[in-house]
Amino acid sequence: MPRYFSVWLAFFKNSLTRDLEYKANFIGGIAVDSVYYLLYYFFFYTIFSYVDKLGSFDKEAVFIFLVISFSIDAFYMFFCANNVYKLNDYVVKGDLDFILTRPIDAQIFVSFRYVNTYAIVSILFLLPLLGILVFNSHYEPNVLQICLFILSSAVGVSIFYAFDMLLSSLVFWFRNFSLVGWLSYEVLKFSMRPDSIYTGISRKILFSFVPMALISSVPTRILLFEDGLHYFLYQIAIASILIGITRLVWLRGLKKYESASS
Amino acid sequence: MSIKVTQLKKSFKMFKRQAGLKNAFTSFFNRKYETFHALKGIDLNIDDGEILGVLGENGAGKTTLMKILIGLLYPTEGDVFVDDYVPSKRNKDFLRQISIVMGQKNQLWWDIPASESFLLNKQIYNLSDVEYKDSLDELVTLFDVSEKLDVQVRRLSLGERMKMEIIAALLHRPKIILLDEPTIGLDVIAQSKIRDFITYYNQEHKSTFLLTSHYMSDIEKLCKRVAVIHQGIKLYDGQFSTLIDNINPTKKMMFEFQNLPSKAILKELEEKYTFTLENNILTTHSPEKIIPEMLADLFAIEKPTSFRLEDLPVEDTMKSFFENPDEFI
């Protein structure tokens, strides 16, 4: 594992060197994220001018939930997002060739090759903001809640990754699945709303087959509410299954990889 | 034995449709596939430290063979062993011992200096600082690119980029090196530099090389032995010089007369041999066994001002071979 960390550090260093080369692109990335956050903020701000609560989430909980969602998204962007969406191109153009000839796990290589360095700016902005929001709210999480929240957020990022990677890996069968980015983006929008707004069959789906409710809502519940622990155990179970399926699909997909003519 | 390939077959299922909008719609609902047999039962053994040239036209199956040898593609049938490893299992120890350079693909990051990508490879191959430094110093000195190490890859010339690609591929000192058209698009000086490098590296490190190239001078200068693949079938496996002799046993001879012989003597020569005569120079393309007799006749007429005997260019010879391979083998 230390070797993989050294490899990741080299990825990070290379990505940072490259990103700093293109200043406008780097700043543009931060600007796009800021606009994205503001849009969501105004969306929920408008909703709360008409209602007091969204299910069990009051206004404070929803805004804390939003910052948690953004943070999980920013972590995912930082580590994996750029890479997962590139898998389609790798397969279509045969660029997976050089990755598969390396003596390290190809899924890890593909998933972490390019670090989205500008996302670190978002993380550095969002984490203190989260602290301020919680501190100023009427919620008073204890140390255990905070520790479980950190773990649950990490599990949330892994669900985010596993779901995206699972969809992207379908390119091995489809030969070209360039719409995966959009499909994934649309589905992941479900994770940007508190789980309490979903009821009936949609809630069941979002807690199982398409576990978007487990990405940000569960960490929020663990941090703010007292019913979080059983959600956390459930979240770990679903994450393990999803990561296992993704790994299986990836390995089966590699057998279908046909490279591309030179 | 470094590489052992037995009855290797590789097929691809390919989507096929005819041109035109109507056919595009038809195939959207009723897709037709056909199986393309890229390799049709190849046998190949390569010894440790050997440089084998793999020849063939575009689409013959050379790159497919290389991709199977390095474990990128799974064979449809047959056995492949590279240093006792099955490549498609992608064992990490196996991947540490092999490397591939593809002349038409880049492994280096485009926007950063090559030296940064080398450091990444150092981590990937888990090289110690000493191993990395020794290997990098040797390769950089051989290619004389020390001043280009910190230049962004996208600002390098094609030749410099290819040298950097080769350095990246060899940093971990692999035992087996697959070179797929490493000199494509390079000028003659860069081609020559890469050829010199391969010769040196092979002798110094006893590495096994498998080389494909459309430049026959690469093959001629580097490979004693070649395998010729045509439409997925191995047509020839043996000495390159023997192949050339089989394909084109003729030699070109030029004999410059001091004084043009009489018409009667020329008529006699014309009855015996085929040649052209221009500006006192007699030129013939004749089988090797005829040359001594013809030369004796010409020397009997008079001593020449100049005289030259040469093989036909290898490029021309191989061109005529690939136009109709069945005729020669």
Side-chain angles (χ1 to χ4, degrees):
Chain A
M1 200 44 82
R3 185 162 80 85
Y4 278 86
F5 183 66
S6 313
V7 172
W8 184 83
L9 276 183
F11 284 149
F12 176 69
K13 196 178 156 214
N14 284 3
S15 301
L16 190 61
T17 310
R18 184 196 58 175
D19 289 350
L20 292 177
E21 184 76 20
Y22 301 106
K23 217 161 46 175
N25 204 44
F26 189 83
I27 296 166
I30 298 166
V32 169
D33 274 1
S34 306
V35 171
Y36 174 73
Y37 299 152
L38 283 174
L39 283 174
Y40 265 95
Y41 172 78
F42 283 118
F43 174 70
F44 282 103
Y45 184 82
T46 310
I47 286 177
F48 276 104
S49 61
Y50 296 99
V51 297
D52 294 328
K53 275 187 142 190
L54 286 176
S56 53
F57 282 60
D58 60 19
K59 189 175 176 180
E60 281 181 343
V62 166
F63 283 109
I64 290 170
F65 162 81
L66 264 189
V67 177
I68 291 172
S69 298
F70 296 153
S71 304
I72 286 174
D73 180 65
F75 271 104
Y76 178 63
M77 290 297 289
F78 179 70
F79 285 108
C80 302
N82 257 3
N83 303 291
V84 173
Y85 299 134
K86 279 186 178 155
L87 180 59
N88 188 70
D89 271 359
Y90 292 164
V91 173
V92 172
K93 294 177 185 168
D95 291 342
L96 203 56
D97 289 2
F98 281 119
I99 295 171
L100 293 177
T101 60
R102 300 286 186 256
I104 64 171
D105 188 279
Q107 187 183 347
I108 291 178
F109 196 119
V110 165
S111 305
F112 294 95
R113 190 183 190 192
Y114 296 106
V115 182
N116 217 341
T117 54
Y118 74 80
I120 207 162
V121 178
S122 301
I123 292 169
L124 291 175
F125 165 73
L126 290 166
L127 292 185
L129 178 64
L130 177 62
I132 292 166
L133 283 179
V134 174
F135 186 76
N136 290 323
S137 73
H138 66 277
Y139 295 102
E140 292 176 349
N142 57 36
V143 177
L144 178 67
Q145 277 178 296
I146 292 170
C147 291
L148 284 180
F149 160 74
I150 293 168
L151 288 175
S152 176
S153 298
V155 178
V157 175
S158 70
I159 291 175
F160 203 145
Y161 161 74
F163 182 78
D164 243 6
M165 192 67 188
L166 179 63
L167 284 183
S168 296
S169 297
L170 296 178
V171 67
F172 289 115
W173 284 267
F174 296 171
R175 308 292 166 91
N176 191 345
F177 193 26
S178 55
L179 293 175
V180 67
W182 285 111
L183 176 64
S184 166
Y185 175 73
E186 292 302 322
V187 176
L188 286 164
K189 276 182 182 170
F190 287 104
S191 72
M192 304 299 279
R193 282 133 203 178
D195 70 74
S196 55
I197 68 168
Y198 304 113
T199 54
I201 187 81
S202 66
R203 186 174 176 82
K204 283 191 175 118
I205 290 171
L206 292 171
F207 270 87
S208 55
F209 298 112
V210 188
M212 296 299 104
L214 302 182
I215 293 175
S216 313
S217 291
V218 168
T220 310
R221 282 183 175 279
I222 288 169
L223 186 67
L224 304 182
F225 307 139
E226 286 177 0
D227 64 347
L229 187 61
H230 75 274
Y231 276 110
F232 179 52
L233 297 174
Y234 182 74
Q235 185 199 31
I236 288 179
I238 293 290
S240 307
I241 293 168
L242 190 60
I243 289 168
I245 292 172
T246 302
R247 180 69 179 173
L248 208 64
V249 169
W250 164 263
L251 292 174
R252 294 291 293 270
L254 281 186
K255 291 194 174 180
K256 301 211 58 111
Y257 178 61
E258 291 187 346
S259 186
S261 66
S262 55
Chain B
M1 188 70 66
S2 198
I3 297 174
K4 187 171 170 60
V5 175
T6 314
Q7 278 302 300
L8 175 64
K9 293 182 184 172
K10 178 65 187 172
S11 307
F12 296 99
K13 194 173 148 193
M14 293 170 84
F15 160 54
K16 194 176 184 187
R17 75 164 175 83
Q18 291 179 320
L21 190 61
K22 189 183 159 202
N23 289 317
F25 272 107
T26 310
S27 74
F28 185 83
F29 295 102
N30 182 19
R31 200 146 272 206
K32 288 196 171 111
Y33 292 92
E34 70 174 25
T35 304
F36 171 68
H37 301 284
L39 295 174
K40 301 170 185 167
I42 299 275
D43 292 309
L44 194 65
N45 293 328
I46 306 169
D47 286 326
D48 288 330
E50 193 175 359
I51 303 181
L52 176 78
V54 181
L55 300 178
E57 302 157 285
N58 289 328
K62 308 183 296 289
T63 304
T64 301
L65 174 65
M66 286 216 169
K67 286 179 177 175
I68 289 174
L69 290 178
I70 201 165
L72 287 174
L73 299 176
Y74 287 73
T76 307
E77 275 182 52
D79 294 318
V80 180
F81 294 99
V82 177
D83 253 3
D84 293 332
Y85 291 100
V86 175
S88 57
K89 289 186 176 168
R90 295 194 190 115
N91 181 295
K92 291 190 175 51
D93 289 332
F94 161 70
L95 292 173
R96 274 194 195 91
Q97 295 178 29
I98 193 164
S99 200
I100 189 166
V101 175
M102 293 188 246
Q104 305 197 53
K105 280 185 180 171
N106 306 317
Q107 66 155 311
L108 297 171
W109 284 34
W110 195 246
D111 295 317
I112 59 175
S115 56
E116 303 278 356
S117 291
F118 297 160
L119 281 169
L120 175 63
N121 278 14
K122 173 183 181 276
Q123 300 300 340
I124 288 171
Y125 288 97
N126 207 13
L127 303 178
S128 70
D129 290 344
V130 175
E131 286 170 329
Y132 174 73
K133 189 178 177 309
D134 285 355
S135 185
L136 184 64
D137 285 351
E138 181 193 24
L139 294 163
V140 166
T141 308
L142 283 169
F143 277 129
D144 191 21
V145 287
S146 56
E147 287 176 10
K148 302 288 179 182
L149 280 177
D150 295 322
V151 177
Q152 275 180 321
V153 171
R154 65 187 167 89
R155 295 186 198 280
L156 297 174
S157 70
L158 185 61
E160 289 163 348
R161 218 157 62 220
M162 184 45 66
K163 288 173 189 171
M164 297 298 185
E165 288 284 344
I166 294 176
I167 291 174
L170 302 190
L171 268 178
H172 61 291
R173 294 208 166 131
K175 282 165 62 184
I176 298 164
I177 300 154
L178 312 179
L179 301 173
D180 190 16
E181 300 184 37
T183 55
I184 193 162
L186 304 187
D187 62 43
V188 284
I189 296 166
Q191 283 180 29
S192 162
K193 194 98 184 165
I194 286 175
R195 283 197 289 263
D196 292 345
F197 169 80
I198 295 169
T199 307
Y200 166 85
Y201 202 85
N202 170 255
Q203 286 169 359
E204 190 68 20
H205 296 282
K206 310 293 175 217
S207 304
T208 308
F209 279 86
L210 207 75
L211 169 74
T212 75
S213 178
H214 288 292
Y215 299 122
M216 284 308 127
S217 42
D218 286 350
I219 303 291
E220 191 181 15
K221 284 173 183 149
L222 292 169
C223 313
K224 281 187 185 151
R225 180 183 157 211
V226 294
V228 180
I229 299 178
H230 181 64
Q231 295 176 353
I233 296 168
K234 189 178 80 176
L235 287 185
Y236 177 83
D237 186 347
Q239 297 288 307
F240 184 56
S241 54
T242 311
L243 175 70
I244 295 297
D245 288 345
N246 284 349
I247 298 167
N248 201 335
T250 62
K251 289 200 181 289
K252 181 181 179 183
M253 186 181 73
M254 296 168 85
F255 187 99
E256 187 175 0
F257 292 105
Q258 290 177 30
N259 304 296
L260 204 58
S262 67
K263 282 186 180 173
I265 293 173
L266 282 175
K267 197 177 174 190
E268 250 178 67
L269 283 172
E270 274 172 354
E271 282 168 5
K272 263 179 107 175
Y273 309 110
T274 308
F275 60 85
T276 58
L277 191 62
E278 198 177 331
N279 298 332
N280 281 15
I281 298 173
L282 179 150
T283 306
T284 182
H285 293 94
S286 299
E288 202 171 353
K289 60 182 179 187
I290 298 207
I291 299 286
E293 186 190 341
M294 188 176 182
L295 213 49
D297 284 348
L298 291 170
F299 270 93
I301 297 166
E302 66 166 28
K303 279 186 182 170
T305 306
S306 68
F307 156 72
R308 209 162 77 209
L309 189 64
E310 59 188 46
D311 291 319
L312 281 180
V314 179
E315 302 280 349
D316 294 346
T317 306
M318 289 310 294
K319 184 173 168 240
S320 63
F321 171 78
F322 284 121
E323 279 168 0
N324 193 1
D326 297 334
E327 190 183 311
F328 303 103
I329 293 172

